Amino acid sequence: MRRLLLGAGILGAMSLAPGCGDADGSGSGGGGSFGAGPGSGPGGVGGGVQPPAPVCAPAPDGSTDVGAPMLVAELGDRWHEGWLASPVVADLDGDGTNEIIAARHGRVLGWHLDGTIVFSQDVDGRCWASPVVADLRPDLPGLELAQASDDKIYMWRADGSAVDGFPFTFQGELRSLAAGDVDGGGDIELVSVTTQNLEQNGQRDIIAAVKNDGGWVPGFPANTSGASQCDDACYVYNGYDQNVALGDVDGDGVSDIFATQDNAYNSLHRGDGFAFDCAPIFEDRTKFHGVRGLHDYALAQQGWANEEETSLQAHHTNTAPAIADVDGDGIGELVYLASVQNASQSNREQGVALWVMENDGTRPAGWEEPLHVAGYLSGLWDYGENIVAITNQVTVADIDPMRDGPEMIFAGFDGQIHAVDSQQGRLWSVAYTQSDVVMTGGVVVADLSGDGTPEIVFNTYSTQNDFGELFILDAGGNLQHRIALPARGAMPVPTIADVEGDGQLEIIVSLKDSPDDIQVLVFTVPGSSDNCLLWPTGRGSYLRDGYLPPN
């Protein structure tokens, strides 16, 4: 189903001039002030700065003005509800026409832009993980699509037929999915994390690493099989909310597996299952798995807090991590956003903290303590009625060429989007709401005007109808456009891609609800170009690996 916006669809004919706020004229651009639109909650504020110089080569017809997004299609099926799965734009079957793919509750759907449904596969349960699309089986024609849902990982060919060996079944609920060559064999493997520990042989496992034929990657499950060489100080516990990243953290050219957990510890494995050792500075610990996320570096090395009521530590329930070379040594660091609590866990609403860590648990210079953003409106806890907590998700992209290393952009629990450089310098913080019922799942980064300087794009969702919006900021955090979204907005991170193959970009939004059986909105951005797609979809790419390779 498709509705062209020639008259009025579910949104009406909205178009915002550069620098404007809501369709009714509230808000302002250029200074970062969002005004008090219907979706911002009471008195939304902001605070942008002068945009930095271009980081990409400008497009031939580039401009400093971001064109007003225009709704060109409303795609739908029926009632299927959205969770946290970011959409995909890809030509699955190689016929020259892109498919727009969205994973919803109980179904993975694909449309052409004209509204024709060209892919539809039922799955068990809700789709928290974003679909993976890649050449997962080089021996088969076209691309493959993989999805995690309930306790299964699915893989289909472009025609919707299941790839032999799939679905793969683990246990619990699989809320994450990432793809990469973790065993160094040249093919792409799939990695997911379960909400329910596998307990055997005195160890716990949460990671499933799966070959493209549906079998286990040798060495996995890593802890219970003994491949990790874990001891009794490997504190593994359930994983939630897109909590896996794949990337090279030791410089051997092969992707490693970083999984965040529902505690103050995390897991880090090579592709053969071996668990990374920690540095000798950590007392009575041999593995990365045993390094506790205490903010105070000396206490983290000690492994416990002298004053548990006042010492701060990380908790990773909703952490969607990344891997990127932050310190410029050519090797990826572990980059992640964690909620902050005291060590006794009696005070858990203490905002978020941005962490950078090496593969042995040590912290690079300048990151001896994480960057703590202490404000708190809401977001740690699920809101009810299928509205989930804020994903502690960090986007990594070079948005300022005058600063060393990449920048990190994230939403706090304070209603703000924050941009931080690789030395913990704050570029800007901009409030998108002052309401405790408005939140976002994360941001994407792409140049929407062709001038070589990227924009920041995100959508919001809410417990209330008509509070969700689509926001576009420039690289200085200044509001360019905001567009109202129907019903309860959109929980998944949007995707930016060239749907029509004409060099102009679209923004694809997968809605939380299905108003009038509409589930996906497609906005085109006039004057945009595909010259600079830095982090254009949830988890960075359609591999969903959260990895920014070193330059």
Side-chain angles (χ1 to χ4, degrees):
M1 173 172 21
R2 182 199 189 197
R3 298 181 184 179
L4 280 173
L5 198 74
L6 301 178
I10 59 174
L11 297 186
M14 281 190 183
S15 174
L16 303 184
C20 290
D22 294 319
D24 64 3
S26 62
S28 62
S33 177
F34 287 179
S40 69
V45 295
V49 300
Q50 180 68 29
V55 297
C56 298
D61 298 323
S63 168
T64 57
D65 294 329
V66 178
M70 298 175 57
L71 182 62
V72 295
E74 299 166 332
L75 307 175
D77 174 35
R78 285 182 296 161
W79 57 270
H80 300 93
E81 188 175 1
W83 289 86
L84 295 176
S86 188
V88 170
V89 174
D91 182 5
L92 286 178
D93 54 12
D95 67 352
T97 300
N98 281 326
E99 285 74 52
I100 300 167
I101 300 158
R104 311 281 294 178
H105 191 139
R107 183 167 294 179
V108 179
L109 288 156
W111 299 264
H112 284 160
L113 190 61
D114 65 3
T116 305
I117 296 175
V118 293
F119 188 96
S120 180
Q121 291 297 322
D122 290 341
V123 297
D124 293 339
R126 49 195 183 176
C127 293
W128 289 63
S130 300
V132 166
V133 172
D135 188 6
L136 300 171
R137 285 288 298 268
D139 58 318
L140 300 177
L143 302 176
E144 286 73 46
L145 190 159
Q147 179 66 44
S149 181
D150 197 49
D151 61 350
K152 297 178 179 63
I153 297 174
Y154 300 83
M155 189 193 295
W156 301 283
R157 300 172 67 165
D159 63 4
S161 60
V163 173
D164 289 346
F166 290 90
F168 167 92
T169 301
F170 192 27
Q171 62 181 53
E173 185 178 32
L174 304 179
R175 298 188 182 181
S176 59
L177 186 66
D181 181 9
V182 300
D183 65 3
D187 287 339
I188 296 175
E189 287 77 47
L190 296 170
V191 180
S192 187
V193 177
T194 180
T195 61
Q196 179 182 324
N197 301 310
L198 171 67
E199 299 197 37
Q200 293 176 358
N201 303 322
Q203 294 288 341
R204 289 175 170 174
D205 265 305
I206 58 174
I207 297 171
V210 184
K211 297 169 62 177
N212 63 9
D213 63 1
W216 284 93
V217 172
F220 288 86
N223 301 326
T224 54
S225 71
S228 70
Q229 300 182 27
C230 260
D231 53 25
D232 59 2
C234 285
Y235 303 122
V236 175
Y237 194 68
N238 305 332
Y240 298 91
D241 198 351
Q242 306 172 92
N243 61 323
V244 64
L246 307 181
D248 182 8
V249 301
D250 58 4
D252 66 355
V254 179
S255 290
D256 305 296
I257 301 170
F258 178 42
T260 52
Q261 303 172 174
D262 187 23
N263 59 14
Y265 304 85
N266 292 314
S267 293
L268 184 63
H269 294 268
R270 291 191 322 224
D272 61 2
F274 181 79
F276 277 76
D277 294 331
C278 67
I281 60 173
F282 297 100
E283 298 178 19
D284 301 320
R285 301 290 186 267
T286 63
K287 294 292 183 181
F288 180 94
H289 293 52
V291 177
R292 185 174 176 180
L294 288 160
H295 284 213
D296 186 292
Y297 197 16
L299 295 181
Q301 295 171 47
Q302 177 178 271
W304 50 277
N306 301 83
E307 300 292 339
E308 289 207 340
E309 288 301 310
T310 56
S311 293
L312 299 180
Q313 72 176 9
H315 204 86
H316 311 104
T317 306
N318 301 318
T319 293
I323 296 173
D325 180 13
V326 175
D327 60 8
D329 65 356
I331 299 174
E333 278 77 48
L334 309 168
V335 183
Y336 56 100
L337 191 70
S339 64
V340 180
Q341 62 184 18
N342 60 352
S344 68
Q345 302 191 55
S346 63
N347 183 359
R348 298 192 61 184
E349 296 180 354
Q350 300 200 51
V352 300
L354 181 65
W355 291 75
V356 175
M357 188 177 289
E358 304 287 2
N359 64 36
D360 60 358
T362 58
R363 306 175 188 181
W367 291 92
E368 289 84 2
E369 287 204 12
L371 178 68
H372 184 193
V373 179
Y376 189 88
L377 272 176
S378 70
L380 178 63
W381 316 101
D382 289 342
Y383 296 86
E385 300 297 323
N386 290 350
I387 298 293
V388 303
I390 291 175
T391 300
N392 296 142
Q393 181 158 200
V394 59
T395 291
V396 188
D398 184 5
I399 66 171
D400 188 343
M402 302 307 293
R403 296 173 183 255
D404 291 336
E407 282 69 53
M408 288 151 279
I409 310 161
F410 59 91
F413 287 148
D414 56 357
Q416 298 188 59
I417 306 296
H418 303 271
V420 176
D421 71 17
S422 60
Q423 286 78 45
Q424 287 201 12
R426 298 185 187 231
L427 280 69
W428 44 263
S429 296
V430 175
Y432 64 88
T433 187
Q434 290 184 342
S435 171
D436 62 359
V437 297
V438 176
M439 37 276 172
T440 183
V443 308
V444 290
V445 180
D447 179 8
L448 296 180
S449 69
D451 65 351
T453 299
E455 275 67 49
I456 314 300
V457 180
F458 61 97
N459 44 230
T460 61
Y461 61 100
S462 178
T463 59
Q464 300 182 23
N465 285 333
D466 303 321
F467 269 39
E469 294 176 282
L470 174 66
F471 286 93
I472 300 176
L473 314 180
D474 67 21
N478 303 293
L479 178 66
Q480 303 301 296
H481 300 288
R482 66 188 297 180
I483 298 173
L485 297 176
R488 293 183 293 173
M491 292 200 305
V493 174
T495 290
I496 300 174
D498 178 6
V499 175
E500 297 183 89
D502 58 0
Q504 184 167 282
L505 295 174
E506 280 71 45
I507 303 172
I508 300 91
V509 175
S510 183
L511 297 172
K512 170 59 186 171
D513 301 309
S514 301
D516 297 332
D517 291 337
I518 299 300
Q519 289 140 349
V520 173
L521 304 179
V522 182
F523 298 87
T524 194
V525 184
S528 61
S529 176
D530 60 1
N531 59 302
C532 191
L533 297 168
L534 299 183
W535 192 282
T537 189
R539 313 299 297 124
S541 75
Y542 297 146
L543 294 177
R544 312 301 185 182
D545 55 6
Y547 185 41
L548 182 67
N551 291 328

